[in-house]
Each structure stands twice: as C-alpha cells, then as structure tokens.
Amino acid sequence: MSQLSRLINILTLLKSRRVLTASELSERYDVSIRTIYRDIQKLIESGVPVVTLEGRGYTLMDGYTVAPVQFTEKQANALITAHHLVNNSKDASFVKDFEEALIKIKSVFRSTVLEKSEILSSKIHVFEPRQESFASNALSELQIAITHLNYVEINYRKANDTEISFRKIEPYVFFSTENKWILLAWCHLREGYRAFRVDRIQHFKILPEQFVDRKFSIQDYFAACPYDFEKNERPNTPN
C-alpha cells in the first residue's frame, strides 16, 4: 500500500470518530510506529485537524466535517490518472501540493469508489521516453507569484554554462514540454521576454512588490519567433 493510500485509509477511520493509537495503526498497515508518526504529521500538514488525546491516541477535532461533495467513479479515475502524471513532473513542490489536495479530495470518495480508485492506481504506469536528470522545487511558489503579480529574483544557470546570472523577472506563463516546466517572464536584465527552465533556477525569492501587468500573450510570443523545443530557447534570443 502506498503512503497516499494509507493516509486516505487513516483519515477514513478517523472520520468514523474512532480514537486510534499508533500501535493499532502500525499493526493494521504493517508499518513501523515511526512511519505512522510521519503519516499523522503529513495529514496535519495537509490541513486535517488531527489531535492527540494524551494516553489514548489520535482523533479528529470536534466539529470537523468534509463538504458533501460526491465524485463518480470516472471522475475519481481522472484524479488518480492525473496523480500519476503529476508525479512525473519532476517538481517536488507541485507533487507535494497535489498529493495534499488529493488526500482531502479522496476523503469524500464513497467507499466503493475509493476501493476501485486504489485498484486503478496500481494498474497505471507512466514511463519516460528519455531518462534525463532534472528536478525542481519552485513551481508552486512561482504559480502564486504569477497570479499575484509579484516580482521574482532568481539565480539562473543556462544549459552547458557554469556561470550563474542574477535576474529580476515578472513571471507570466508556464508551459510544459518533455516533463520540463518552462517559465515565460519579462527579464529586467535583458529588457524583454525570456524563457527559463524551472529546474535551472538555482535560487529564487518572491518579492512583496507587485508589477504592472504587461498583458503578455503567449500566442503573440510564439508567433513573433517560434520556440525551439529541442534546445529550450527562441533562436537568437539568449536567456
């Protein structure tokens, strides 16, 4: 059983207003007590109000309810499939936020739908045609910067370049190609729109200052100069 499946099962038990001990959960799911501690912490971090009753175990905070939303089996299957695709995105922040959201969503699945969704999850596999080493942990924060129009400072390293450049950017659009996330932004250093691979951003800082929306159009951007998806750049416009 995967961690996500175990978390959903624990949450389902807690919703029945049971008081559960770490030892009981450890035996039930055949994992260590330390693993159960991590599971409970994961639920808390996901926004589930798990409380500890001294000497008794875990339960849910009084008054906690889940909105009465119902999902069909097909809708549940779509979410399960999306989870596998998200796991292939190579951005740790995005994967973490999606899994925490999915915990909450799956907590309202009917038991029959939940059971079928777990079966489907074990039968979906996503393979990468290319084995390339790249990873990032900035997507979720940068998404917030886009919707709130916040300036972002980044340290960026281009491909096959040991030099790291400092940029102040106005983030506008993400797109994904070959499991890589690309950020299109106005770069104050270059005084123009540039594409930045998120996994090449070494460090970033979201600034509280907001920029004036330039009404960026991705259609106009690509029409002006087609993007080279193989090299991850627009011809003659270095980052």
Side-chain angles (χ1 to χ4, degrees):
M1 178 181 287
S2 68
Q3 184 194 38
L4 183 60
S5 299
R6 192 171 61 251
L7 290 172
I8 297 301
N9 278 270
I10 292 173
L11 180 54
T12 301
L13 290 174
L14 290 171
K15 283 168 59 185
S16 68
R17 298 307 173 195
R18 294 179 55 182
V19 177
L20 305 168
T21 66
S23 297
E24 178 185 357
L25 293 170
S26 173
E27 293 177 4
R28 186 184 187 94
Y29 299 111
D30 193 26
V31 294
S32 68
I33 290 179
R34 186 180 295 275
T35 296
I36 295 299
Y37 291 157
R38 288 197 292 266
D39 287 346
I40 295 298
Q41 185 59 39
K42 183 77 171 179
L43 286 173
I44 293 172
E45 292 173 354
S46 299
V48 178
V50 180
V51 296
T52 303
L53 301 179
E54 193 65 33
R56 295 180 58 194
Y58 302 109
T59 189
L60 289 179
M61 182 183 296
D62 288 341
Y64 175 72
T65 58
V66 181
V69 179
Q70 294 295 328
F71 291 87
T72 66
E73 185 173 344
K74 286 183 178 180
Q75 291 169 341
N77 289 345
L79 288 167
I80 295 302
T81 303
H83 182 223
H84 283 267
L85 296 175
V86 166
N87 278 339
N88 212 39
S89 74
K90 296 295 188 298
D91 186 275
S93 66
F94 183 42
V95 171
K96 175 179 179 293
D97 287 335
F98 188 89
E99 288 187 344
E100 290 178 355
L102 193 57
I103 289 172
K104 296 178 181 179
I105 292 171
K106 290 181 73 175
S107 70
V108 302
F109 283 2
R110 298 192 307 275
S111 58
T112 53
V113 172
L114 179 60
E115 180 182 356
K116 295 299 184 184
S117 72
E118 296 302 326
I119 293 173
L120 178 65
S121 183
S122 68
K123 297 182 180 298
I124 295 178
H125 304 276
V126 179
F127 297 104
E128 296 179 21
R130 300 181 183 181
Q131 295 296 323
E132 184 176 353
S133 177
F134 57 90
S136 60
N137 192 28
L139 189 61
S140 291
E141 294 290 339
L142 293 174
Q143 287 173 337
I144 296 295
I146 285 178
T147 57
H148 289 257
L149 300 177
N150 290 113
Y151 286 108
V152 181
E153 293 177 343
I154 63 173
N155 290 329
Y156 190 75
R157 183 181 62 81
K158 294 194 295 184
N160 303 317
D161 192 344
T162 58
E163 296 295 324
I164 296 177
S165 61
F166 173 80
R167 313 291 184 95
K168 182 176 181 179
I169 62 173
E170 301 170 11
Y172 282 102
V173 171
F174 279 114
F175 69 89
S176 179
T177 175
E178 296 184 349
N179 297 322
K180 305 178 187 69
W181 284 103
I182 313 298
L183 172 65
L184 298 180
W186 177 270
C187 176
H188 284 258
L189 177 66
R190 302 300 188 193
E191 296 186 343
Y193 292 111
R194 293 294 184 270
F196 300 96
R197 258 181 59 172
V198 176
D199 58 296
R200 291 180 183 156
I201 296 176
Q202 305 297 300
H203 300 285
F204 69 94
K205 180 180 180 181
I206 310 298
L207 302 180
E209 295 82 13
Q210 294 179 302
F211 56 84
V212 177
D213 191 351
R214 297 175 188 267
K215 307 300 181 183
F216 172 79
S217 166
I218 192 170
Q219 291 81 8
D220 292 344
Y221 176 85
F222 285 137
C225 191
Y227 189 85
D228 188 330
F229 287 89
E230 289 296 324
K231 295 181 179 179
N232 178 42
E233 63 182 22
R234 295 173 74 187
N236 303 318
T237 56
N239 285 331

